[in-house]
Amino acid sequence: MATPLTVSAEEHDDGTPLLVAAGEIDLSNIETFSRALTTVIASAGDAGGRVTVDLSAVEYLDSAAIGALSVHADQAPGLRLLANPYLMPVLRISGIDQLATVEPAEPDPG
């Protein structure tokens, strides 16, 4: 059974927009994810176009998610992805790491 997607928009202490996603991102919920990305990127004007997308709690993403990240990377030149370490190979192979800064998320100490 698929893990439902949850997204929430937050801000870093410095005011930089942050989108936190958890669960699975696929064709069934890509509209929700894309809409959240669009909203967060639109709010990044005051942050110089810098946006962080926290994918550390994303367990799976498909080609629809890769496509959405690619499109939005073009719109936010300062896009930074914090990814679940399991997703790092997919993000590298897809070339997302050439469009955005991609970093492995720190492991949860708990």
Side-chain angles (χ1 to χ4, degrees):
M1 184 168 156
T3 305
L5 173 67
T6 60
V7 290
S8 63
E10 303 174 13
E11 282 188 357
H12 286 285
D13 292 337
D14 65 359
T16 304
L18 169 66
L19 178 67
V20 179
E24 297 182 3
I25 306 171
D26 59 26
L27 190 58
S28 71
N29 55 31
I30 195 61
E31 287 184 37
T32 299
F33 182 66
S34 290
R35 197 170 23 253
L37 273 172
T38 299
T39 300
V40 168
I41 289 170
S43 73
D46 295 337
R50 294 178 301 145
V51 174
T52 299
V53 179
D54 184 343
L55 303 173
S56 60
V58 172
E59 301 162 1
Y60 171 83
L61 49 81
D62 70 3
S63 60
I66 296 295
L69 289 168
S70 296
V71 167
H72 287 85
D74 286 343
Q75 299 169 355
L79 185 63
R80 177 175 168 242
L81 305 175
L82 298 176
N84 179 328
Y86 294 117
L87 300 179
M88 293 300 291
V90 173
L91 296 172
R92 284 190 191 110
I93 290 168
S94 68
I96 293 295
D97 64 337
Q98 301 299 307
L99 303 173
T101 301
V102 179
E103 302 171 15
E106 295 293 321
D108 187 3

